[in-house]
Amino acid sequence: MALRALTGPDPGPGPGLDLDLDLEQLLDAAAVLGRAFLRDPGSSPALPWDRFGAWVHCVCVVGFDLELGQAVEVIYPPHAKLSDKEKTSICYLSFPDSNSGCLGDTQFCFRIRQSASKKNPLDCLYDRDAPVYLKTDSAHYYGYVYFRQVRDKSLKRGYFQKSLVLISKLPYVNFFHFLLKLIAPEYFDKNEPYLEAVCHDIDHWPAPIPGRILILPTTGVIIKVRIPTGQDKPGATQIIQSTDEVESQVSFALPTIHEVDLFRYVPRNLTKRTTDWFHQDAVQNTPGDPSILWLSNCTTPPPSVMG
């Protein structure tokens, strides 16, 4: 009877629940979301900050002072919990590795281990359809950083240095970098009231559901985003741009694993001599090794077709 209440009388081919999921997790999710959300995963939780927490754990502002050192100045929403160890890791990792003479804005990301790994009961609904590389990470947090450094003679160090950091369990590197590029410059001008307004906008976003086009309003800008599914095929990514978009609308599609150009990233870290040795020695000596064959494909440029 309980299962029928959770799944409905006949889920059919639609977005019914996967009965292979842990029953206890489903019951926990039902207590939080109610039956309406389980029948339609596109609907949003009703409790305050549940929608925000589906995307972002918290937003941190990290300041860097010559005498006091680095410190988390602001955590929003205020009830968001971070352990002392997590705060320390965020402080140290929110400063670029090398920024000598680098003025202006810098974006990068990091990953830290959660002090107490907890699986949110809502994550099972997202992970059911998400591809492997976009599933939530219950053991780690991802930190997306927008660091600003400008000259300021009123400060002892001579520079204003501060980072705006989004902490999330979602590995949406491109999306969160895009979001930070949109909101961080305004934050540095308007400070905490603007940050509070952004967080309240995120708290009105729909839940991140793979395969759906989601409308995400953010401080006057409408972001349309599509999260890939585990069933997406090569070349079948849905195009969400429309001809009637205006300046206040932005379309954003998270790339699928089929669109990642591995060759663009690997060879930059390999000298020509290393690459030549790999193809002439390793490949010839271990012709049947699957790992060697995979690395060979990654480090070999695609063939050129000339007509």
Side-chain angles (χ1 to χ4, degrees), residues 190-202:
K190 302 176 181 178
N191 297 318
E192 290 185 37
Y194 179 80
L195 181 60
E196 182 178 352
V198 170
C199 291
H200 279 285
D201 282 344
I202 297 176

Side-chain angles (χ1 to χ4, degrees), residues 30-52:
V32 176
L33 299 179
R35 297 179 182 177
F37 180 75
L38 291 177
R39 285 195 297 267
D40 180 12
S43 62
S44 298
L47 296 178
W49 299 111
D50 277 349
R51 308 175 195 180
F52 179 89

Side-chain angles (χ1 to χ4, degrees), residues 163-180:
S163 290
L164 182 64
V165 188
L166 298 182
I167 303 297
S168 174
K169 290 193 297 183
L170 297 173
Y172 296 172
V173 178
N174 292 342
F175 173 75
F176 283 121
H177 278 334
F178 171 81
L179 182 63
L180 276 172

Side-chain angles (χ1 to χ4, degrees), residues 66 103 150-161:
L66 185 61
L103 294 177
V150 295
R151 294 187 184 277
D152 189 339
K153 295 182 179 179
S154 65
L155 301 176
K156 189 172 182 179
R157 179 175 289 197
Y159 294 93
F160 169 88
Q161 296 173 321

